[in-house]
Amino acid sequence: MGRAIALCGRSGRIVSFLSAVPCLSGCTPQPAAERRMSDQGKNSASTPAGAPAPGSDTYKGWLFKWTNYLKGYQRRWFVLSNGLLSYYRTQAEMAHTCRGTINLATAHIDTEDACNIVLSSGGRTYHLKASTEVERQRWVTALELAKAKAIHDSGDEEPTTQSDRSEGVQGTLKTLISKLDDLSTCNDLIAKHGAALQRSLSELEALRVPVEGGEKIKGVNERATLFRITSNAMINACRDFLDLAETHSRRWQRALQYEREQRIHLEETIEQLAKQHNSLERAWREAPTLSVNTPRGSERPQKGEASDEDEDTEYFDAMEDSPAFITVTATENTQHRSVSPSCKDSGKELQPIRRRRSRIPDKPNYSLNLWSIMKNCIGKELSKIPMPVNFNEPLSMLQRLTEDLEYHELLDKAARCESSLEQLSLVAAFSVSSYSTTVHRTAKPFNPLLGETYELDRLDDLGYRSLCEQVSHHPPAAAHHVISQRGWTLWQQITISSKFRGKYLSIMPLGAIHLQFHSSENHYVWRKVISTVHNIIVGKLWIDQSGDIEIVNHRTKETCQLKFSPYSYFSRDVPRKVTGVVSDSGGQAHYILSGTWDDKIESSKIVQSSKGGSGSEGKQKTVYQTLSPKLLWKKYPLPDNAENMYFFSSLALTLNEPEDGVGLTDSRLRPDQRLMEAGRWDEANSEKQRLEEKQRAVRRRREAEATDGFQPQWFHKRRNAITGETNFVYKGGYWEAKDSQDWSTCSEIF
């Protein structure tokens, strides 16, 4: 018996087993069913009716899921259970069709704003939106709890390697054998002492004892017999279980090995596909000429996920403001790849003469207290605020202005168009494309010094020459002139007016953009929209574009009305949405433009129009039936590692590249900007203060001498006959000075 006591001390489970055996004194244990009912009663009393119990694994409800740019957010029924988030179109689909499942154990949970949830898992990103902020927080809490539990369970149950799995199985079998030996020992002891007890009880029965005592002894003898039989049955069941586990252990190991090999094979395949995809993107970006109109099948969603729902897509669009319209896609037997047969593509391929750089030094990670600088600047002009380079990017405003030419091939194609309406559509796409580089660019460009210039001479490979000059400092204004050998000239004077409002920054470009095509003499004029930088003090910075653009062909009087919809938490429209109508001189619409300013613009030819119902403001809408939309413009993918290079595009990476023969006032020669690009920010701040103080000294000297003021070197003022405005336009001489390398008339500003 002493051996049995010692064994019970080593095994807690044996003690638990013995305590569960009915007592020999005749007491009756509580039935299991009654215990369960009692426990359930306690739990129901502590949990409010209709609410999930604390730590519940299941959570259900409606959420809006992003599908694609045509449909936006769609309402879906989501079910969270056992660490998996599944979604369905309706609750009825739960019985037969699951639209998708997200494993929370490997998912990353993030929040974009008050109602949005972003889940990233397995290379896919899911954008979800709740109806209210409270509902969003409930879902985030449930998802975080489910993720933590899934990670804990997977860590306990799933070894990381095949050897760990094999050792785990063998360890479990050894533990079972050890416990079975303990139980067998106990069984032997129980059988031995039970037999002794029965003999003693039999001897007591043979003695002369009162009748009542004999009955009790007989009952005890029966209970001892039943106890021994029960223990024998338990030991036999444990032995059967161990035999079964040994029989199936090899099968488990083979299944685990097979799943491991399949997983490794899939990971290698995905890695190879990713490398091939990156190689194709790089080859496409480095190609000497790029087709503007790519096949529609090659388009990729900007949200990072393809729609996983097979649905027939229809194209609908509407503008709230006048002229209000709705477009409906008509069927068309032939799918055209180009905008129009009248837009003729050139078959020449231009070979690049020099290889431009494709990366710059990574941005250093320096911390700075923004509020300590900005709290004293509320209500002031941004150009008058002394800013450290920590808030800048290593480009000047003149170089940012030159970035408008990122998609110059749209103008090359427009110059070859015979139809002025189709040409106007391409010009509209070009005007939208200039904003695509701003979506992640929250840093501030350097304010140019008075008289600073920037040239971009791509005549040999891209066919154009661009020149910018800072013609005014207060207010800051820059003049820009571009001439292309491929049939167009562009010029503009942009004055930047910006106000810091405490929570956001408004940037208002003032001035008209002129574009003239040489062969047709079509002259287009338009103005830029307002840019807003949100969350200046708290939160993640993000940029939005809002307002209207009217593009007018002053020769034919044809117009294009573009609307940049501002982002709203409560809108179900596609973010960064742009819509437009191309009309002739009589006001009749011919094309519908749609898309987003950070991804693409499509054009749909109108085949029929009719009057529809009233809109939200009581205005009657016009319903346009259109042909299938055709791609006008698609944003290029960003270079590799762009997030560490200020999110520069391929063109932006080359703008500050050192180049021989440029003017002495060129932005490439600016020392503070060059030091910042190299990551030497402390030296860049010192140089920036030196240059600004030098510019102030020059201005004070000019005022003291009572001269006529600053006169730009390469631009002069002229009155525009079309707009009636007096602007700075290019007067010539720069490229001739570059050819002769005669910069004697240039000031020493650096």
Side-chain angles (χ1 to χ4, degrees):
M1 194 68 180
R3 181 184 174 190
I5 294 173
L7 190 61
C8 290
R10 290 196 308 268
S11 177
R13 294 195 178 185
I14 296 176
V15 176
S16 301
F17 164 72
L18 293 177
S19 64
V21 176
C23 59
L24 299 178
S25 62
C27 59
T28 304
Q30 184 182 14
E34 294 181 9
R35 288 200 302 272
R36 286 195 299 269
M37 292 177 64
S38 176
D39 294 341
Q40 290 176 0
K42 294 178 182 178
N43 293 338
S44 63
S46 62
T47 304
S56 175
D57 290 339
T58 303
Y59 195 86
K60 303 177 182 179
W62 290 102
L63 289 173
F64 292 96
K65 175 183 172 292
W66 175 266
T67 54
N68 52 52
Y69 277 110
L70 294 181
K71 296 194 172 182
Y73 285 94
Q74 297 293 322
R75 196 165 180 251
R76 296 290 181 263
W77 178 255
F78 281 80
V79 177
L80 174 61
S81 179
N82 297 326
L84 299 176
L85 181 64
S86 305
Y87 59 92
Y88 312 83
R89 287 188 190 171
T90 61
Q91 299 183 46
E93 280 194 346
M94 292 176 59
H96 53 83
T97 304
C98 177
R99 297 291 169 177
T101 301
I102 307 169
N103 185 5
L104 295 178
T106 59
H108 175 70
I109 303 172
D110 195 9
T111 55
E112 285 186 341
D113 48 50
C115 297
N116 283 42
I117 305 172
V118 181
L119 297 178
S120 302
S121 177
R124 292 176 62 97
T125 302
Y126 301 84
H127 293 260
L128 312 178
K129 181 185 288 188
S131 56
T132 63
E133 186 173 359
V134 175
E135 182 65 21
R136 192 282 305 268
Q137 190 57 44
R138 290 176 181 169
W139 273 103
V140 170
T141 303
L143 291 170
E144 293 287 0
L145 290 175
K147 177 182 177 180
K149 188 175 185 303
I151 293 175
H152 180 268
D153 293 344
S154 63
D156 291 343
E157 297 176 3
E158 297 184 5
T160 57
T161 63
Q162 175 65 18
S163 60
D164 292 339
R165 295 190 185 100
S166 179
E167 291 176 1
V169 173
Q170 296 298 331
T172 303
L173 291 176
K174 290 179 180 179
T175 303
L176 290 174
I177 293 173
S178 174
K179 299 303 179 184
L180 185 60
D181 291 340
D182 293 343
L183 291 174
S184 298
T185 303
C186 289
N187 181 66
D188 295 340
L189 292 173
I190 291 172
K192 177 181 177 180
H193 294 291
L197 178 61
Q198 284 184 328
R199 285 196 300 272
S200 299
L201 292 174
S202 299
E203 293 173 357
L204 287 175
E205 287 181 7
L207 297 176
R208 293 179 180 179
V209 295
V211 177
E212 184 178 356
E215 291 295 330
K216 288 185 178 180
I217 292 172
K218 184 177 180 181
V220 171
N221 191 10
E222 291 176 354
R223 289 181 181 276
T225 304
L226 290 174
F227 176 66
R228 185 178 63 182
I229 294 172
T230 303
S231 63
N232 288 334
M234 185 192 68
I235 294 296
N236 291 333
C238 291
R239 184 177 289 108
D240 293 340
F241 172 75
L242 181 61
D243 293 340
L244 184 63
E246 290 176 340
T247 302
H248 290 280
S249 64
R250 294 180 180 176
R251 183 180 303 172
W252 296 341
Q253 292 180 8
R254 287 196 300 270
L256 288 173
Q257 177 65 21
Y258 174 77
E259 293 296 335
R260 178 174 176 271
E261 292 174 354
Q262 289 295 315
R263 179 177 178 177
I264 293 175
H265 176 69
L266 288 175
E267 289 177 350
E268 292 175 350
T269 303
I270 291 173
E271 183 178 359
Q272 292 175 0
L273 289 174
K275 289 180 179 179
Q276 293 176 4
H277 181 73
N278 290 335
S279 299
L280 289 174
E281 280 192 348
R282 284 195 297 269
W284 178 67
R285 289 197 304 268
E286 294 172 0
T289 57
L290 298 174
S291 175
V292 178
N293 295 293
T294 56
R296 292 180 56 79
S298 64
E299 298 173 18
R300 297 181 291 113
Q302 184 72 13
K303 286 285 187 179
E305 60 160 326
S307 177
D308 45 52
E309 303 166 10
D310 295 331
E311 303 177 9
D312 295 332
T313 57
E314 295 181 358
Y315 180 79
F316 296 93
D317 197 7
M319 290 179 65
E320 296 180 358
D321 296 339
S322 179
F325 66 88
I326 301 174
T327 63
V328 182
T329 305
T331 58
E332 187 178 18
N333 295 329
T334 306
Q335 295 293 332
H336 302 288
R337 295 302 179 94
S338 60
V339 175
S340 169
S342 61
C343 294
K344 305 168 186 176
D345 289 331
S346 174
K348 297 189 296 181
E349 286 193 0
L350 299 177
Q351 298 298 329
I353 293 178
R354 87 175 255 199
R355 185 173 181 82
R356 306 280 174 172
R357 69 180 183 180
S358 59
R359 66 169 295 108
I360 60 175
D362 288 354
K363 177 183 179 181
N365 187 17
Y366 294 147
S367 61
L368 188 66
N369 188 351
L370 175 63
W371 178 242
S372 65
I373 298 172
M374 301 297 287
K375 65 183 179 181
N376 298 321
C377 306
I378 296 177
K380 295 182 180 179
E381 274 289 334
L382 186 65
S383 60
K384 298 181 181 180
I385 299 175
M387 287 285 195
V389 299
N390 302 57
F391 302 118
N392 287 64
E393 61 181 15
L395 289 179
S396 72
M397 181 61 74
L398 302 180
Q399 291 165 316
R400 284 290 294 268
L401 195 60
T402 307
E403 275 192 79
D404 288 356
L405 302 175
E406 176 98 26
Y407 299 93
H408 66 93
E409 63 269 15
L410 290 171
L411 300 183
D412 297 343
K413 189 175 184 64
R416 299 190 297 270
C417 277
E418 297 176 358
S419 168
S420 59
L421 290 171
E422 291 166 2
Q423 186 180 75
L424 179 55
S425 299
L426 287 168
V427 172
F430 173 78
S431 69
V432 175
S433 70
S434 63
Y435 298 97
S436 63
T437 61
T438 66
V439 62
H440 299 296
R441 302 271 290 279
T442 55
K444 174 182 176 291
F446 280 77
N447 288 331
L449 302 176
L450 190 61
E452 184 176 336
T453 61
Y454 179 75
E455 67 157 75
L456 185 63
D457 189 355
R458 303 296 294 269
L459 198 63
D460 294 333
D461 54 346
L462 302 180
Y464 67 80
R465 276 177 163 176
S466 168
L467 176 65
C468 295
E469 183 177 4
Q470 187 76 0
V471 295
S472 173
H473 192 63
H474 291 298
H480 185 203
H481 182 269
V482 190
I483 185 167
S484 173
Q485 289 181 334
R486 300 176 185 176
W488 54 270
T489 300
L490 181 145
W491 67 96
Q492 59 180 319
Q493 177 187 326
I494 297 297
T495 301
I496 299 296
S497 175
S498 55
K499 288 290 184 180
F500 175 56
R501 305 295 185 181
K503 296 175 64 176
Y504 64 90
L505 176 70
S506 295
I507 302 172
M508 295 155 283
L510 307 177
I513 304 173
H514 296 259
L515 172 66
Q516 187 168 22
F517 291 98
H518 302 164
S519 60
S520 62
E521 297 186 353
N522 287 332
H523 189 148
Y524 298 92
V525 179
W526 71 92
R527 301 175 189 270
K528 290 180 175 288
V529 296
I530 297 175
S531 301
T532 307
V533 184
H534 295 270
N535 295 341
I536 292 293
I537 303 301
V538 179
K540 183 180 179 181
L541 292 174
W542 60 280
I543 294 179
D544 194 22
Q545 315 288 348
S546 59
D548 298 330
I549 292 179
E550 182 183 36
I551 306 175
V552 180
N553 184 344
H554 285 275
R555 190 183 71 84
T556 64
K557 306 305 179 183
E558 297 163 345
T559 61
C560 175
Q561 301 286 342
L562 290 174
K563 178 179 177 60
F564 288 66
S565 300
Y567 177 77
S568 172
Y569 289 123
F570 308 102
S571 175
R572 295 182 60 183
D573 283 341
V574 177
R576 309 180 185 96
K577 180 180 179 182
V578 179
T579 52
V581 181
V582 177
S583 306
D584 59 20
S585 58
Q588 182 179 355
H590 290 264
Y591 290 93
I592 298 296
L593 305 181
S594 61
T596 58
W597 54 263
D598 67 327
D599 183 28
K600 64 180 179 180
I601 290 293
E602 294 179 327
S603 169
S604 303
K605 184 175 177 59
I606 299 173
V607 295
Q608 187 178 354
S609 63
S610 60
K611 295 296 182 181
S614 299
S616 58
E617 299 180 358
K619 300 178 181 179
Q620 190 176 26
K621 291 189 175 182
T622 303
V623 179
Y624 294 124
Q625 185 177 10
T626 66
L627 300 179
S628 298
K630 299 173 179 60
L631 187 67
L632 294 180
W633 162 73
K634 176 73 175 175
K635 180 185 176 183
Y636 301 150
L638 290 175
D640 296 335
N641 196 39
E643 64 276 6
N644 295 321
M645 298 187 295
Y646 308 89
F647 288 98
F648 281 178
S649 64
S650 298
L651 176 63
L653 289 174
T654 67
L655 292 180
N656 205 43
E657 185 176 8
E659 191 165 329
D660 296 331
V662 298
L664 301 180
T665 56
D666 196 271
S667 298
R668 298 178 180 89
L669 305 178
R670 183 167 173 165
D672 54 349
Q673 188 172 303
R674 181 66 59 191
L675 288 169
M676 183 195 175
E677 182 183 278
R680 298 155 62 183
W681 285 15
D682 291 337
E683 299 174 60
N685 278 319
S686 300
E687 277 295 315
K688 185 171 184 288
Q689 293 177 7
R690 183 188 67 82
L691 291 174
E692 290 173 351
E693 184 56 37
K694 181 179 180 180
Q695 183 174 235
R696 295 188 192 100
V698 172
R699 185 178 70 249
R700 288 193 296 266
R701 186 170 62 253
R702 188 182 299 118
E703 292 173 354
E705 294 174 356
T707 59
D708 295 335
F710 173 78
Q711 297 297 326
Q713 183 68 32
W714 311 110
F715 290 81
H716 57 181
K717 280 189 175 182
R718 289 292 183 268
R719 185 178 181 277
N720 187 274
I722 294 177
T723 62
E725 299 175 348
T726 300
N727 296 320
F728 283 95
V729 295
Y730 180 58
K731 64 180 180 180
Y734 180 87
W735 304 110
E736 292 78 8
K738 181 182 179 181
D739 292 339
S740 62
Q741 284 298 294
D742 180 12
W743 305 113
S744 58
T745 58
C746 293
S747 303
E748 182 65 35
I749 63 173
F750 299 139

